[in-house]
Amino acid sequence: MRITIITVCYNRKNTIEKAINSVLEQNYNNIEYIIIDGNSTDGTKEIIECYRDKISQFISEPDKGMYDAINKGLKLATGDIIGLMHSDDEFYDKKAISRIAARFEADKSVEGVYGNGVYVSNDAEERLIRDRIGGVFSLKRVQKGWLPLHPTVYLKKAVIDKNGTYSLDFKIASDTEFLLRYLYKYKINMSYINSYIVKMRMGGMSTDIKSAFDVLHEDYKIYKHHGLSAVQAVFLKKTIALRQYIMH
């Protein structure tokens, strides 16, 4: 089973190398690694070039934002399973992809897999900021504002080909729309792995406090678009997040 991992980046010279190495150090031996760069000018491209022989495909060109870049990667992907590794993040350990592959192999009816993740401070100490335990999937949880942590989600390519890529109508929260479309609208068969998949650094586009209002606004529009009680779902989603910050 081939697993495609897509990293998109723009001016991430301080974190891109850790992201790349965390992919290359996985103990699973059938990985297609695709990097889509938005024509960085800070030295990011030069760092990526140092690993060029270990990267399946590398494109550097202007794009319309992160989700446009992800869509480019999805079009290039040839793996049976597809997931993301954001440029500020890294895998929790070297066995993350092996665990994901094992779950798909164990149950052929599974269309998507997700797990746990942690948010850490964007400094050398990497202090734990937020613990994201996924928990068992249910539609009721989705209706109440719960969604799996996006970078822990791995989907079959056939499912993505069928249900579509990321909407460019949303600049910050298109991952919410993507997950709601797959989990709530199309009700794909999701399976939960109770282990940590990713370590995310605070300060990315959707974790920056300055962007909180914009995320809130986009989330509202997305839940409303999918016919859910938008105010209730967004309120409960933020309540879940606040509880995770407090209880870490």
Side-chain angles (χ1 to χ4, degrees):
M1 179 179 291
R2 192 178 208 199
I3 296 184
T4 298
I5 300 173
I6 300 168
T7 293
V8 302
C9 57
Y10 178 69
N11 288 344
R12 284 292 185 268
K13 68 175 182 179
N14 293 328
T15 59
I16 188 64
E17 193 163 24
K18 281 190 175 182
I20 292 172
N21 280 322
S22 77
V23 174
L24 300 181
E25 291 171 358
Q26 289 297 296
N27 69 354
Y28 190 76
N29 62 9
N30 194 7
I31 292 176
E32 174 185 53
Y33 190 28
I34 298 173
I35 299 182
I36 309 295
D37 175 72
N39 199 28
S40 293
T41 58
D42 69 338
T44 297
K45 287 190 290 186
E46 288 73 14
I47 293 172
I48 297 170
E49 285 291 352
C50 293
Y51 297 89
R52 189 65 186 86
D53 61 327
K54 299 177 182 179
I55 298 168
S56 305
Q57 298 201 57
F58 171 42
I59 293 176
S60 182
E61 63 185 19
D63 54 50
K64 299 175 184 177
M66 180 176 73
Y67 299 111
D68 180 42
I70 293 174
N71 286 344
K72 289 181 181 181
L74 291 176
K75 290 179 181 178
L76 293 173
T78 64
D80 305 290
I81 310 298
I82 303 175
L84 306 177
M85 169 51 62
H86 293 326
S87 56
D88 289 331
D89 307 337
E90 58 188 291
F91 283 113
Y92 193 82
D93 60 28
K94 297 179 181 181
K95 300 178 180 179
I97 293 299
S98 291
R99 295 191 193 99
I100 291 167
R103 180 57 55 88
F104 278 108
E105 292 283 6
D107 186 348
K108 301 300 183 182
S109 71
V110 168
E111 297 175 293
V113 168
Y114 67 97
N116 306 325
V118 293
Y119 289 87
V120 298
S121 58
N122 191 14
D123 54 31
E125 295 180 6
E126 294 190 346
R127 293 170 290 104
L128 177 64
I129 302 296
R130 180 180 174 189
D131 197 3
R132 281 289 301 269
I133 303 299
V136 178
F137 172 80
S138 76
L139 282 176
K140 287 185 178 179
R141 293 186 72 198
V142 174
Q143 290 173 308
K144 293 180 179 179
W146 173 88
L147 286 172
L149 183 59
H150 183 225
T152 74
V153 175
Y154 282 71
L155 301 170
K156 286 184 175 178
K157 183 179 188 299
V159 174
I160 296 176
D161 290 342
K162 178 181 178 181
N163 297 323
T165 57
Y166 291 79
S167 170
L168 301 187
D169 293 336
F170 306 101
K171 296 182 179 180
I172 299 177
S174 188
D175 51 323
T176 296
E177 192 285 321
F178 182 87
L179 290 174
L180 276 178
R181 189 182 345 137
Y182 277 63
L183 276 56
Y184 181 73
K185 181 178 180 180
Y186 295 122
K187 298 177 176 60
I188 68 169
N189 185 13
M190 295 292 288
S191 183
Y192 168 57
I193 298 176
N194 187 16
S195 63
Y196 289 99
I197 304 298
V198 296
K199 180 167 61 175
M200 303 177 67
R201 290 181 183 82
M202 296 297 290
M205 185 169 68
S206 62
T207 60
D208 192 333
I209 295 176
K210 295 179 181 178
S211 301
F213 180 79
D214 291 334
V215 172
L216 194 68
H217 180 59
E218 286 197 359
D219 275 348
Y220 175 83
K221 292 195 296 182
I222 290 165
Y223 277 96
K224 187 176 181 181
H225 172 74
H226 282 283
L228 290 164
S229 177
V231 173
Q232 180 186 42
V234 172
F235 174 77
L236 291 173
K237 182 180 181 182
K238 300 309 174 185
T239 301
I240 292 169
L242 180 61
R243 189 182 304 122
Q244 290 165 347
Y245 279 115
I246 293 172
M247 296 180 66
H248 80 266

